[in-house]
């Protein structure tokens, strides 16, 4: 949803920069960026590799970025204007995660209005996972996407309460997942008081 020309334009108009993930809402653009990284000469790419071990896995993240963006074409309605006029860099992030019994690999592509600085871009993408992680937790543990509040401030009020509750549950270091601790608080009044930091 965030990878929209209008949203990117507003971000830049307010003096900020963007790093936006290319997803299914721009399939031809995403395919063109994939193709570029597949065939780009090494001298056009800045690369950084990070290996981290923890939580029962080894994660390798390889970031590649390029500021060669003059090939980007416009939309069908106006092919002479670039689709995203403020793009300065393209970024590819390859994640390889090794577990004890399996290995997964994923590749994501991003566009950015920031100048080419591989460390800063890779850190921005990594930081974005923190936001995605919270949304995932809210969806899994609190079913954040299910409510259908349609009028007044109900939707905003409940979103605030869910985020507050998530913060309380995450602050409690009892063993188990966020979902398990939330359910335990519903079943056990003593544990609920502990979560609420009243006990």
């Amino acid at each position: 949803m965030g990878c929209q020309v209008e949203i990117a334009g507003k971000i830049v108009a307010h003096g900020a920069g963007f790093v936006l993930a290319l997803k299914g809402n721009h399939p031809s653009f995403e395919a063109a960026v994939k193709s570029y990284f597949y065939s780009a000469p090494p001298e056009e790419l800045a690369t950084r590799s990070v290996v981290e071990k923890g939580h029962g896995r080894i994660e390798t993240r390889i970031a590649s970025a390029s500021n060669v963006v003059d090939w980007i074409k416009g939309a069908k309605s106006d092919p002479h204007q670039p689709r995203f006029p403020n793009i300065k860099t393209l970024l590819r992030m390859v994640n390889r995660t090794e577990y004890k019994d399996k290995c997964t690999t994923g590749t994501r592509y991003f566009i950015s209005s920031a100048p080419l600085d591989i460390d800063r871009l890779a850190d921005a993408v990594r930081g974005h996972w923190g936001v995605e992680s919270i949304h995932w937790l809210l969806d899994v543990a609190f079913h954040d996407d299910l409510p259908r509040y349609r009028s007044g401030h109900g939707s905003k009020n409940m979103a605030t309460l869910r985020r507050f509750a998530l913060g309380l549950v995450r602050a409690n270091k009892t063993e188990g997942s966020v979902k398990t601790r939330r359910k335990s608080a519903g079943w056990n009044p003593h544990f609920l008081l502990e979560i609420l930091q009243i006990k």
Side-chain angles (χ1 to χ4, degrees):
M1 181 191 120
C3 194
Q4 301 290 340
V5 178
E6 297 79 16
I7 292 173
K10 287 179 182 178
I11 291 170
V12 172
H14 283 84
F18 63 79
V19 176
L20 300 173
L22 283 174
K23 294 185 179 177
N25 59 344
H26 295 285
S28 60
F29 189 23
E30 184 183 16
V33 172
K34 281 183 186 178
S35 177
Y36 167 76
F37 276 105
Y38 182 74
S39 60
E43 60 271 15
E44 288 184 7
L45 301 177
T47 304
R48 181 180 97 164
S49 181
V50 175
V51 178
E52 291 180 348
K53 184 176 180 181
H55 306 288
R57 63 181 182 258
I58 300 171
E59 186 174 0
T60 305
R61 292 187 301 278
I62 303 168
S64 303
S66 173
N67 60 2
V68 179
V69 295
D70 54 346
W71 59 268
I72 297 172
K73 302 286 189 282
K76 291 179 184 177
S77 58
D78 190 355
H80 302 293
Q81 291 295 319
R83 192 180 319 220
F84 286 85
N86 301 300
I87 295 176
K88 292 184 182 170
T89 53
L90 303 171
L91 179 71
R92 175 182 63 190
M93 184 66 77
V94 178
N95 281 35
R96 177 184 167 87
T97 307
E98 298 174 48
Y99 299 93
K100 189 175 181 178
D101 58 343
K102 65 177 180 176
C103 182
T104 61
T105 303
T107 304
R108 296 174 295 152
Y109 297 89
F110 300 84
I111 57 174
S112 177
S113 63
L116 179 57
D117 178 341
I118 189 64
D119 293 325
R120 187 173 179 219
L121 290 167
D123 289 344
V125 168
R126 179 69 175 152
H128 179 69
W129 170 243
V131 175
E132 291 288 333
S133 173
I134 288 172
H135 286 294
W136 183 83
L137 273 172
L138 286 167
D139 188 32
V140 170
F142 291 88
H143 304 291
D144 199 34
D145 292 341
L146 294 180
R148 298 288 179 246
Y149 301 101
R150 304 250 187 253
S151 61
H153 300 286
S155 178
K156 189 173 181 178
N157 292 342
M158 291 307 296
T160 301
L161 286 173
R162 277 192 292 275
R163 279 156 183 77
F164 180 71
L166 175 61
L168 289 172
V169 172
R170 289 178 84 183
N172 182 284
K173 299 304 178 190
T174 304
E175 191 175 324
S177 68
V178 167
K179 189 173 184 178
T180 301
R181 281 178 274 164
R182 184 191 65 83
K183 283 189 173 184
S184 296
W187 295 329
N188 183 341
H190 298 292
F191 186 61
L192 174 60
L193 291 175
E194 185 181 319
I195 291 280
L196 294 172
Q197 301 173 6
I198 294 173
K199 197 170 182 180

